[in-house]
Amino acid sequence: MSWQIEIDGHACIGSGMCASLLPGTFRMDGVVARPRTGSVDPEETVLDAADSCPAMAITGTEGTEVLGPRP
């Protein structure tokens, strides 16, 4: 099953950390980050990106379960 990935464009501060960590998954779109696609293969690094986001703007889900950011 794939994971859904979303970035809250209102919360994103454009640090670029996610795009630097996973350039194949995230991209910078002006001053905010965007996912390249809405779903990704399960990969620990995607959750690391959500955990590392200084604005906590990245959310990863599988179905209705929120996987990241992790507490």
Side-chain angles (χ1 to χ4, degrees):
M1 179 177 262
S2 63
W3 292 349
Q4 301 303 307
I5 199 95
E6 295 180 8
I7 296 179
D8 180 342
H10 297 290
C12 179
I13 61 171
S15 74
M17 190 172 291
C18 58
S20 294
L21 184 62
L22 286 169
T25 303
F26 301 101
R27 64 181 173 83
M28 293 304 295
D29 184 13
V31 297
V32 297
R34 302 267 185 240
R36 291 192 179 273
T37 64
S39 63
V40 295
D41 290 332
E43 182 182 341
E44 186 72 18
T45 312
V46 173
L47 297 181
D48 291 342
D51 295 343
S52 299
C53 177
M56 303 298 282
I58 303 170
T59 304
T61 58
E62 182 177 45
T64 59
E65 180 183 1
V66 175
L67 303 172
R70 297 172 281 198

PDB file of all heavy atoms in Angstrom, residues 22-64:
ATOM      1  N   LEU A  22      14.860  14.577   0.341  1.00  0.00           N
ATOM      2  CA  LEU A  22      14.227  13.697  -0.646  1.00  0.00           C
ATOM      3  C   LEU A  22      13.822  14.491  -1.891  1.00  0.00           C
ATOM      4  O   LEU A  22      12.640  14.740  -2.126  1.00  0.00           O
ATOM      5  CB  LEU A  22      12.980  13.034  -0.050  1.00  0.00           C
ATOM      6  CG  LEU A  22      13.211  11.922   0.946  1.00  0.00           C
ATOM      7  CD1 LEU A  22      11.914  11.555   1.651  1.00  0.00           C
ATOM      8  CD2 LEU A  22      13.782  10.710   0.255  1.00  0.00           C
ATOM      9  N   PRO A  23      14.774  14.851  -2.743  1.00  0.00           N
ATOM     10  CA  PRO A  23      14.436  15.657  -3.921  1.00  0.00           C
ATOM     11  C   PRO A  23      13.530  14.933  -4.917  1.00  0.00           C
ATOM     12  O   PRO A  23      12.853  15.588  -5.704  1.00  0.00           O
ATOM     13  CB  PRO A  23      15.800  15.979  -4.541  1.00  0.00           C
ATOM     14  CG  PRO A  23      16.734  14.965  -3.992  1.00  0.00           C
ATOM     15  CD  PRO A  23      16.201  14.576  -2.649  1.00  0.00           C
ATOM     16  N   GLY A  24      13.465  13.628  -4.866  1.00  0.00           N
ATOM     17  CA  GLY A  24      12.562  12.886  -5.744  1.00  0.00           C
ATOM     18  C   GLY A  24      11.133  12.872  -5.244  1.00  0.00           C
ATOM     19  O   GLY A  24      10.209  12.532  -5.971  1.00  0.00           O
ATOM     20  N   THR A  25      10.934  13.269  -3.987  1.00  0.00           N
ATOM     21  CA  THR A  25       9.610  13.248  -3.362  1.00  0.00           C
ATOM     22  C   THR A  25       9.047  14.648  -3.148  1.00  0.00           C
ATOM     23  O   THR A  25       7.857  14.866  -3.284  1.00  0.00           O
ATOM     24  CB  THR A  25       9.680  12.512  -2.015  1.00  0.00           C
ATOM     25  OG1 THR A  25      10.190  11.193  -2.239  1.00  0.00           O
ATOM     26  CG2 THR A  25       8.325  12.402  -1.351  1.00  0.00           C
ATOM     27  N   PHE A  26       9.934  15.605  -2.827  1.00  0.00           N
ATOM     28  CA  PHE A  26       9.517  16.983  -2.543  1.00  0.00           C
ATOM     29  C   PHE A  26      10.253  17.947  -3.469  1.00  0.00           C
ATOM     30  O   PHE A  26      11.366  17.683  -3.892  1.00  0.00           O
ATOM     31  CB  PHE A  26       9.833  17.353  -1.089  1.00  0.00           C
ATOM     32  CG  PHE A  26       9.170  16.470  -0.078  1.00  0.00           C
ATOM     33  CD1 PHE A  26       9.880  15.447   0.543  1.00  0.00           C
ATOM     34  CD2 PHE A  26       7.845  16.641   0.261  1.00  0.00           C
ATOM     35  CE1 PHE A  26       9.276  14.622   1.479  1.00  0.00           C
ATOM     36  CE2 PHE A  26       7.228  15.817   1.193  1.00  0.00           C
ATOM     37  CZ  PHE A  26       7.948  14.805   1.806  1.00  0.00           C
ATOM     38  N   ARG A  27       9.620  19.081  -3.741  1.00  0.00           N
ATOM     39  CA  ARG A  27      10.244  20.122  -4.548  1.00  0.00           C
ATOM     40  C   ARG A  27       9.850  21.472  -3.974  1.00  0.00           C
ATOM     41  O   ARG A  27       8.823  21.610  -3.308  1.00  0.00           O
ATOM     42  CB  ARG A  27       9.791  20.038  -6.005  1.00  0.00           C
ATOM     43  CG  ARG A  27       8.306  20.296  -6.206  1.00  0.00           C
ATOM     44  CD  ARG A  27       7.891  20.173  -7.669  1.00  0.00           C
ATOM     45  NE  ARG A  27       6.452  20.257  -7.801  1.00  0.00           N
ATOM     46  CZ  ARG A  27       5.748  21.390  -7.845  1.00  0.00           C
ATOM     47  NH1 ARG A  27       6.356  22.543  -7.780  1.00  0.00           N
ATOM     48  NH2 ARG A  27       4.426  21.365  -7.962  1.00  0.00           N
ATOM     49  N   MET A  28      10.688  22.446  -4.223  1.00  0.00           N
ATOM     50  CA  MET A  28      10.365  23.801  -3.807  1.00  0.00           C
ATOM     51  C   MET A  28       9.563  24.450  -4.940  1.00  0.00           C
ATOM     52  O   MET A  28       9.915  24.338  -6.105  1.00  0.00           O
ATOM     53  CB  MET A  28      11.636  24.609  -3.520  1.00  0.00           C
ATOM     54  CG  MET A  28      12.416  24.110  -2.316  1.00  0.00           C
ATOM     55  SD  MET A  28      11.452  24.047  -0.783  1.00  0.00           S
ATOM     56  CE  MET A  28      11.094  25.783  -0.514  1.00  0.00           C
ATOM     57  N   ASP A  29       8.480  25.105  -4.569  1.00  0.00           N
ATOM     58  CA  ASP A  29       7.611  25.797  -5.516  1.00  0.00           C
ATOM     59  C   ASP A  29       7.539  27.247  -5.042  1.00  0.00           C
ATOM     60  O   ASP A  29       6.669  27.594  -4.244  1.00  0.00           O
ATOM     61  CB  ASP A  29       6.238  25.139  -5.533  1.00  0.00           C
ATOM     62  CG  ASP A  29       5.294  25.742  -6.557  1.00  0.00           C
ATOM     63  OD1 ASP A  29       5.760  26.501  -7.430  1.00  0.00           O
ATOM     64  OD2 ASP A  29       4.086  25.459  -6.488  1.00  0.00           O
ATOM     65  N   GLY A  30       8.487  28.025  -5.477  1.00  0.00           N
ATOM     66  CA  GLY A  30       8.580  29.389  -4.962  1.00  0.00           C
ATOM     67  C   GLY A  30       9.109  29.349  -3.541  1.00  0.00           C
ATOM     68  O   GLY A  30      10.186  28.808  -3.303  1.00  0.00           O
ATOM     69  N   VAL A  31       8.343  29.860  -2.622  1.00  0.00           N
ATOM     70  CA  VAL A  31       8.795  29.922  -1.228  1.00  0.00           C
ATOM     71  C   VAL A  31       8.254  28.794  -0.355  1.00  0.00           C
ATOM     72  O   VAL A  31       8.508  28.785   0.846  1.00  0.00           O
ATOM     73  CB  VAL A  31       8.445  31.286  -0.592  1.00  0.00           C
ATOM     74  CG1 VAL A  31       9.173  32.416  -1.297  1.00  0.00           C
ATOM     75  CG2 VAL A  31       6.946  31.512  -0.601  1.00  0.00           C
ATOM     76  N   VAL A  32       7.504  27.869  -0.929  1.00  0.00           N
ATOM     77  CA  VAL A  32       6.986  26.735  -0.156  1.00  0.00           C
ATOM     78  C   VAL A  32       7.339  25.420  -0.840  1.00  0.00           C
ATOM     79  O   VAL A  32       7.634  25.383  -2.032  1.00  0.00           O
ATOM     80  CB  VAL A  32       5.451  26.812   0.046  1.00  0.00           C
ATOM     81  CG1 VAL A  32       5.068  28.035   0.864  1.00  0.00           C
ATOM     82  CG2 VAL A  32       4.714  26.807  -1.263  1.00  0.00           C
ATOM     83  N   ALA A  33       7.303  24.367  -0.069  1.00  0.00           N
ATOM     84  CA  ALA A  33       7.572  23.026  -0.603  1.00  0.00           C
ATOM     85  C   ALA A  33       6.266  22.376  -1.043  1.00  0.00           C
ATOM     86  O   ALA A  33       5.185  22.698  -0.536  1.00  0.00           O
ATOM     87  CB  ALA A  33       8.245  22.169   0.457  1.00  0.00           C
ATOM     88  N   ARG A  34       6.381  21.472  -1.983  1.00  0.00           N
ATOM     89  CA  ARG A  34       5.234  20.697  -2.483  1.00  0.00           C
ATOM     90  C   ARG A  34       5.685  19.251  -2.678  1.00  0.00           C
ATOM     91  O   ARG A  34       6.833  19.005  -3.058  1.00  0.00           O
ATOM     92  CB  ARG A  34       4.771  21.221  -3.839  1.00  0.00           C
ATOM     93  CG  ARG A  34       4.380  22.668  -3.856  1.00  0.00           C
ATOM     94  CD  ARG A  34       2.890  22.805  -3.621  1.00  0.00           C
ATOM     95  NE  ARG A  34       2.531  24.206  -3.771  1.00  0.00           N
ATOM     96  CZ  ARG A  34       1.978  24.925  -2.810  1.00  0.00           C
ATOM     97  NH1 ARG A  34       1.731  24.401  -1.656  1.00  0.00           N
ATOM     98  NH2 ARG A  34       1.678  26.182  -3.001  1.00  0.00           N
ATOM     99  N   PRO A  35       4.777  18.306  -2.469  1.00  0.00           N
ATOM    100  CA  PRO A  35       5.123  16.928  -2.831  1.00  0.00           C
ATOM    101  C   PRO A  35       5.092  16.799  -4.352  1.00  0.00           C
ATOM    102  O   PRO A  35       4.284  17.452  -5.020  1.00  0.00           O
ATOM    103  CB  PRO A  35       4.031  16.095  -2.171  1.00  0.00           C
ATOM    104  CG  PRO A  35       2.899  17.023  -1.939  1.00  0.00           C
ATOM    105  CD  PRO A  35       3.470  18.405  -1.844  1.00  0.00           C
ATOM    106  N   ARG A  36       5.964  15.986  -4.907  1.00  0.00           N
ATOM    107  CA  ARG A  36       5.969  15.770  -6.362  1.00  0.00           C
ATOM    108  C   ARG A  36       4.743  14.974  -6.794  1.00  0.00           C
ATOM    109  O   ARG A  36       4.239  15.164  -7.894  1.00  0.00           O
ATOM    110  CB  ARG A  36       7.251  15.084  -6.791  1.00  0.00           C
ATOM    111  CG  ARG A  36       8.460  15.990  -6.636  1.00  0.00           C
ATOM    112  CD  ARG A  36       9.674  15.411  -7.330  1.00  0.00           C
ATOM    113  NE  ARG A  36      10.796  16.306  -7.191  1.00  0.00           N
ATOM    114  CZ  ARG A  36      11.076  17.314  -8.013  1.00  0.00           C
ATOM    115  NH1 ARG A  36      10.303  17.559  -9.038  1.00  0.00           N
ATOM    116  NH2 ARG A  36      12.132  18.077  -7.810  1.00  0.00           N
ATOM    117  N   THR A  37       4.282  14.069  -5.936  1.00  0.00           N
ATOM    118  CA  THR A  37       3.060  13.301  -6.173  1.00  0.00           C
ATOM    119  C   THR A  37       2.310  13.199  -4.853  1.00  0.00           C
ATOM    120  O   THR A  37       2.887  13.454  -3.795  1.00  0.00           O
ATOM    121  CB  THR A  37       3.354  11.877  -6.703  1.00  0.00           C
ATOM    122  OG1 THR A  37       4.055  11.158  -5.695  1.00  0.00           O
ATOM    123  CG2 THR A  37       4.158  11.912  -7.990  1.00  0.00           C
ATOM    124  N   GLY A  38       1.070  12.810  -4.904  1.00  0.00           N
ATOM    125  CA  GLY A  38       0.271  12.690  -3.693  1.00  0.00           C
ATOM    126  C   GLY A  38       0.509  11.414  -2.910  1.00  0.00           C
ATOM    127  O   GLY A  38       0.180  11.332  -1.737  1.00  0.00           O
ATOM    128  N   SER A  39       1.107  10.423  -3.566  1.00  0.00           N
ATOM    129  CA  SER A  39       1.365   9.171  -2.860  1.00  0.00           C
ATOM    130  C   SER A  39       2.786   8.701  -3.135  1.00  0.00           C
ATOM    131  O   SER A  39       3.355   8.993  -4.190  1.00  0.00           O
ATOM    132  CB  SER A  39       0.360   8.094  -3.271  1.00  0.00           C
ATOM    133  OG  SER A  39       0.479   7.790  -4.636  1.00  0.00           O
ATOM    134  N   VAL A  40       3.340   8.011  -2.157  1.00  0.00           N
ATOM    135  CA  VAL A  40       4.713   7.520  -2.256  1.00  0.00           C
ATOM    136  C   VAL A  40       4.766   6.089  -1.738  1.00  0.00           C
ATOM    137  O   VAL A  40       3.902   5.655  -0.974  1.00  0.00           O
ATOM    138  CB  VAL A  40       5.698   8.391  -1.440  1.00  0.00           C
ATOM    139  CG1 VAL A  40       5.789   9.791  -2.007  1.00  0.00           C
ATOM    140  CG2 VAL A  40       5.327   8.430   0.024  1.00  0.00           C
ATOM    141  N   ASP A  41       5.795   5.374  -2.161  1.00  0.00           N
ATOM    142  CA  ASP A  41       6.029   4.048  -1.599  1.00  0.00           C
ATOM    143  C   ASP A  41       6.463   4.213  -0.152  1.00  0.00           C
ATOM    144  O   ASP A  41       7.176   5.173   0.182  1.00  0.00           O
ATOM    145  CB  ASP A  41       7.116   3.307  -2.386  1.00  0.00           C
ATOM    146  CG  ASP A  41       6.656   2.907  -3.777  1.00  0.00           C
ATOM    147  OD1 ASP A  41       5.439   2.696  -3.966  1.00  0.00           O
ATOM    148  OD2 ASP A  41       7.515   2.817  -4.675  1.00  0.00           O
ATOM    149  N   PRO A  42       6.058   3.295   0.725  1.00  0.00           N
ATOM    150  CA  PRO A  42       6.477   3.383   2.126  1.00  0.00           C
ATOM    151  C   PRO A  42       8.003   3.403   2.240  1.00  0.00           C
ATOM    152  O   PRO A  42       8.695   2.557   1.678  1.00  0.00           O
ATOM    153  CB  PRO A  42       5.906   2.113   2.748  1.00  0.00           C
ATOM    154  CG  PRO A  42       4.728   1.775   1.889  1.00  0.00           C
ATOM    155  CD  PRO A  42       5.140   2.173   0.493  1.00  0.00           C
ATOM    156  N   GLU A  43       8.506   4.418   2.904  1.00  0.00           N
ATOM    157  CA  GLU A  43       9.944   4.585   3.074  1.00  0.00           C
ATOM    158  C   GLU A  43      10.185   5.398   4.345  1.00  0.00           C
ATOM    159  O   GLU A  43       9.595   6.467   4.526  1.00  0.00           O
ATOM    160  CB  GLU A  43      10.520   5.314   1.854  1.00  0.00           C
ATOM    161  CG  GLU A  43      11.997   5.508   1.903  1.00  0.00           C
ATOM    162  CD  GLU A  43      12.536   6.280   0.714  1.00  0.00           C
ATOM    163  OE1 GLU A  43      11.865   6.370  -0.331  1.00  0.00           O
ATOM    164  OE2 GLU A  43      13.641   6.805   0.856  1.00  0.00           O
ATOM    165  N   GLU A  44      11.036   4.907   5.193  1.00  0.00           N
ATOM    166  CA  GLU A  44      11.342   5.562   6.468  1.00  0.00           C
ATOM    167  C   GLU A  44      11.799   7.004   6.283  1.00  0.00           C
ATOM    168  O   GLU A  44      11.480   7.875   7.092  1.00  0.00           O
ATOM    169  CB  GLU A  44      12.415   4.758   7.207  1.00  0.00           C
ATOM    170  CG  GLU A  44      12.704   5.246   8.597  1.00  0.00           C
ATOM    171  CD  GLU A  44      11.604   4.959   9.613  1.00  0.00           C
ATOM    172  OE1 GLU A  44      10.751   4.094   9.353  1.00  0.00           O
ATOM    173  OE2 GLU A  44      11.601   5.625  10.651  1.00  0.00           O
ATOM    174  N   THR A  45      12.512   7.288   5.209  1.00  0.00           N
ATOM    175  CA  THR A  45      13.030   8.638   4.974  1.00  0.00           C
ATOM    176  C   THR A  45      11.903   9.651   4.784  1.00  0.00           C
ATOM    177  O   THR A  45      12.057  10.823   5.116  1.00  0.00           O
ATOM    178  CB  THR A  45      13.981   8.652   3.762  1.00  0.00           C
ATOM    179  OG1 THR A  45      14.900   7.578   3.891  1.00  0.00           O
ATOM    180  CG2 THR A  45      14.761   9.945   3.689  1.00  0.00           C
ATOM    181  N   VAL A  46      10.755   9.215   4.277  1.00  0.00           N
ATOM    182  CA  VAL A  46       9.599  10.118   4.137  1.00  0.00           C
ATOM    183  C   VAL A  46       9.130  10.557   5.524  1.00  0.00           C
ATOM    184  O   VAL A  46       8.838  11.736   5.749  1.00  0.00           O
ATOM    185  CB  VAL A  46       8.458   9.447   3.349  1.00  0.00           C
ATOM    186  CG1 VAL A  46       7.213  10.314   3.357  1.00  0.00           C
ATOM    187  CG2 VAL A  46       8.898   9.143   1.926  1.00  0.00           C
ATOM    188  N   LEU A  47       9.103   9.620   6.459  1.00  0.00           N
ATOM    189  CA  LEU A  47       8.716   9.969   7.828  1.00  0.00           C
ATOM    190  C   LEU A  47       9.786  10.830   8.485  1.00  0.00           C
ATOM    191  O   LEU A  47       9.466  11.730   9.270  1.00  0.00           O
ATOM    192  CB  LEU A  47       8.466   8.705   8.644  1.00  0.00           C
ATOM    193  CG  LEU A  47       7.324   7.820   8.154  1.00  0.00           C
ATOM    194  CD1 LEU A  47       7.162   6.598   9.052  1.00  0.00           C
ATOM    195  CD2 LEU A  47       6.019   8.593   8.044  1.00  0.00           C
ATOM    196  N   ASP A  48      11.046  10.581   8.158  1.00  0.00           N
ATOM    197  CA  ASP A  48      12.125  11.430   8.673  1.00  0.00           C
ATOM    198  C   ASP A  48      11.940  12.868   8.199  1.00  0.00           C
ATOM    199  O   ASP A  48      12.171  13.812   8.964  1.00  0.00           O
ATOM    200  CB  ASP A  48      13.493  10.915   8.217  1.00  0.00           C
ATOM    201  CG  ASP A  48      13.877   9.588   8.855  1.00  0.00           C
ATOM    202  OD1 ASP A  48      13.277   9.210   9.891  1.00  0.00           O
ATOM    203  OD2 ASP A  48      14.774   8.923   8.306  1.00  0.00           O
ATOM    204  N   ALA A  49      11.525  13.050   6.948  1.00  0.00           N
ATOM    205  CA  ALA A  49      11.278  14.390   6.421  1.00  0.00           C
ATOM    206  C   ALA A  49      10.139  15.063   7.177  1.00  0.00           C
ATOM    207  O   ALA A  49      10.231  16.248   7.529  1.00  0.00           O
ATOM    208  CB  ALA A  49      10.965  14.333   4.930  1.00  0.00           C
ATOM    209  N   ALA A  50       9.077  14.330   7.451  1.00  0.00           N
ATOM    210  CA  ALA A  50       7.953  14.890   8.213  1.00  0.00           C
ATOM    211  C   ALA A  50       8.402  15.264   9.625  1.00  0.00           C
ATOM    212  O   ALA A  50       8.038  16.318  10.137  1.00  0.00           O
ATOM    213  CB  ALA A  50       6.800  13.895   8.266  1.00  0.00           C
ATOM    214  N   ASP A  51       9.219  14.401  10.234  1.00  0.00           N
ATOM    215  CA  ASP A  51       9.713  14.670  11.582  1.00  0.00           C
ATOM    216  C   ASP A  51      10.653  15.871  11.609  1.00  0.00           C
ATOM    217  O   ASP A  51      10.701  16.604  12.591  1.00  0.00           O
ATOM    218  CB  ASP A  51      10.483  13.457  12.125  1.00  0.00           C
ATOM    219  CG  ASP A  51       9.615  12.235  12.329  1.00  0.00           C
ATOM    220  OD1 ASP A  51       8.372  12.369  12.364  1.00  0.00           O
ATOM    221  OD2 ASP A  51      10.184  11.132  12.444  1.00  0.00           O
ATOM    222  N   SER A  52      11.415  16.071  10.542  1.00  0.00           N
ATOM    223  CA  SER A  52      12.433  17.119  10.485  1.00  0.00           C
ATOM    224  C   SER A  52      11.892  18.483  10.090  1.00  0.00           C
ATOM    225  O   SER A  52      12.588  19.487  10.251  1.00  0.00           O
ATOM    226  CB  SER A  52      13.526  16.724   9.484  1.00  0.00           C
ATOM    227  OG  SER A  52      14.144  15.534   9.881  1.00  0.00           O
ATOM    228  N   CYS A  53      10.689  18.531   9.567  1.00  0.00           N
ATOM    229  CA  CYS A  53      10.121  19.800   9.105  1.00  0.00           C
ATOM    230  C   CYS A  53      10.001  20.774  10.285  1.00  0.00           C
ATOM    231  O   CYS A  53       9.294  20.485  11.251  1.00  0.00           O
ATOM    232  CB  CYS A  53       8.752  19.572   8.475  1.00  0.00           C
ATOM    233  SG  CYS A  53       7.945  21.093   7.948  1.00  0.00           S
ATOM    234  N   PRO A  54      10.686  21.926  10.225  1.00  0.00           N
ATOM    235  CA  PRO A  54      10.624  22.860  11.352  1.00  0.00           C
ATOM    236  C   PRO A  54       9.232  23.454  11.575  1.00  0.00           C
ATOM    237  O   PRO A  54       8.922  23.899  12.681  1.00  0.00           O
ATOM    238  CB  PRO A  54      11.638  23.939  10.987  1.00  0.00           C
ATOM    239  CG  PRO A  54      11.834  23.825   9.521  1.00  0.00           C
ATOM    240  CD  PRO A  54      11.547  22.404   9.155  1.00  0.00           C
ATOM    241  N   ALA A  55       8.386  23.437  10.560  1.00  0.00           N
ATOM    242  CA  ALA A  55       7.030  23.991  10.688  1.00  0.00           C
ATOM    243  C   ALA A  55       5.983  22.894  10.919  1.00  0.00           C
ATOM    244  O   ALA A  55       4.801  23.205  11.044  1.00  0.00           O
ATOM    245  CB  ALA A  55       6.669  24.785   9.448  1.00  0.00           C
ATOM    246  N   MET A  56       6.430  21.626  10.943  1.00  0.00           N
ATOM    247  CA  MET A  56       5.513  20.487  11.093  1.00  0.00           C
ATOM    248  C   MET A  56       4.416  20.540  10.030  1.00  0.00           C
ATOM    249  O   MET A  56       3.256  20.251  10.289  1.00  0.00           O
ATOM    250  CB  MET A  56       4.899  20.454  12.500  1.00  0.00           C
ATOM    251  CG  MET A  56       5.927  20.398  13.618  1.00  0.00           C
ATOM    252  SD  MET A  56       6.955  18.927  13.589  1.00  0.00           S
ATOM    253  CE  MET A  56       5.844  17.744  14.280  1.00  0.00           C
ATOM    254  N   ALA A  57       4.798  20.914   8.810  1.00  0.00           N
ATOM    255  CA  ALA A  57       3.841  21.106   7.722  1.00  0.00           C
ATOM    256  C   ALA A  57       3.596  19.849   6.897  1.00  0.00           C
ATOM    257  O   ALA A  57       2.676  19.822   6.088  1.00  0.00           O
ATOM    258  CB  ALA A  57       4.325  22.227   6.802  1.00  0.00           C
ATOM    259  N   ILE A  58       4.404  18.801   7.086  1.00  0.00           N
ATOM    260  CA  ILE A  58       4.283  17.576   6.295  1.00  0.00           C
ATOM    261  C   ILE A  58       3.502  16.535   7.075  1.00  0.00           C
ATOM    262  O   ILE A  58       3.801  16.262   8.236  1.00  0.00           O
ATOM    263  CB  ILE A  58       5.672  17.010   5.936  1.00  0.00           C
ATOM    264  CG1 ILE A  58       6.495  18.041   5.185  1.00  0.00           C
ATOM    265  CG2 ILE A  58       5.526  15.716   5.142  1.00  0.00           C
ATOM    266  CD1 ILE A  58       7.957  17.658   5.013  1.00  0.00           C
ATOM    267  N   THR A  59       2.509  15.944   6.417  1.00  0.00           N
ATOM    268  CA  THR A  59       1.743  14.863   7.020  1.00  0.00           C
ATOM    269  C   THR A  59       1.789  13.655   6.108  1.00  0.00           C
ATOM    270  O   THR A  59       1.553  13.768   4.903  1.00  0.00           O
ATOM    271  CB  THR A  59       0.269  15.274   7.234  1.00  0.00           C
ATOM    272  OG1 THR A  59       0.230  16.463   8.018  1.00  0.00           O
ATOM    273  CG2 THR A  59      -0.521  14.179   7.918  1.00  0.00           C
ATOM    274  N   GLY A  60       2.106  12.517   6.686  1.00  0.00           N
ATOM    275  CA  GLY A  60       2.086  11.255   5.959  1.00  0.00           C
ATOM    276  C   GLY A  60       1.012  10.354   6.537  1.00  0.00           C
ATOM    277  O   GLY A  60       0.894  10.233   7.754  1.00  0.00           O
ATOM    278  N   THR A  61       0.197   9.774   5.669  1.00  0.00           N
ATOM    279  CA  THR A  61      -0.881   8.902   6.127  1.00  0.00           C
ATOM    280  C   THR A  61      -0.910   7.611   5.318  1.00  0.00           C
ATOM    281  O   THR A  61      -0.441   7.563   4.182  1.00  0.00           O
ATOM    282  CB  THR A  61      -2.257   9.584   6.015  1.00  0.00           C
ATOM    283  OG1 THR A  61      -2.483   9.966   4.657  1.00  0.00           O
ATOM    284  CG2 THR A  61      -2.364  10.810   6.907  1.00  0.00           C
ATOM    285  N   GLU A  62      -1.481   6.601   5.929  1.00  0.00           N
ATOM    286  CA  GLU A  62      -1.774   5.342   5.245  1.00  0.00           C
ATOM    287  C   GLU A  62      -3.232   5.050   5.566  1.00  0.00           C
ATOM    288  O   GLU A  62      -3.558   4.714   6.713  1.00  0.00           O
ATOM    289  CB  GLU A  62      -0.867   4.222   5.717  1.00  0.00           C
ATOM    290  CG  GLU A  62      -1.119   2.914   4.983  1.00  0.00           C
ATOM    291  CD  GLU A  62      -0.147   1.834   5.422  1.00  0.00           C
ATOM    292  OE1 GLU A  62       0.091   1.684   6.627  1.00  0.00           O
ATOM    293  OE2 GLU A  62       0.348   1.140   4.526  1.00  0.00           O
ATOM    294  N   GLY A  63      -4.094   5.241   4.582  1.00  0.00           N
ATOM    295  CA  GLY A  63      -5.528   5.140   4.849  1.00  0.00           C
ATOM    296  C   GLY A  63      -5.920   6.266   5.786  1.00  0.00           C
ATOM    297  O   GLY A  63      -5.659   7.433   5.507  1.00  0.00           O
ATOM    298  N   THR A  64      -6.490   5.923   6.929  1.00  0.00           N
ATOM    299  CA  THR A  64      -6.880   6.938   7.908  1.00  0.00           C
ATOM    300  C   THR A  64      -5.853   7.102   9.024  1.00  0.00           C
ATOM    301  O   THR A  64      -6.013   7.955   9.876  1.00  0.00           O
ATOM    302  CB  THR A  64      -8.253   6.583   8.527  1.00  0.00           C
ATOM    303  OG1 THR A  64      -8.152   5.310   9.160  1.00  0.00           O
ATOM    304  CG2 THR A  64      -9.347   6.580   7.486  1.00  0.00           C
TER     305      THR A  64
END
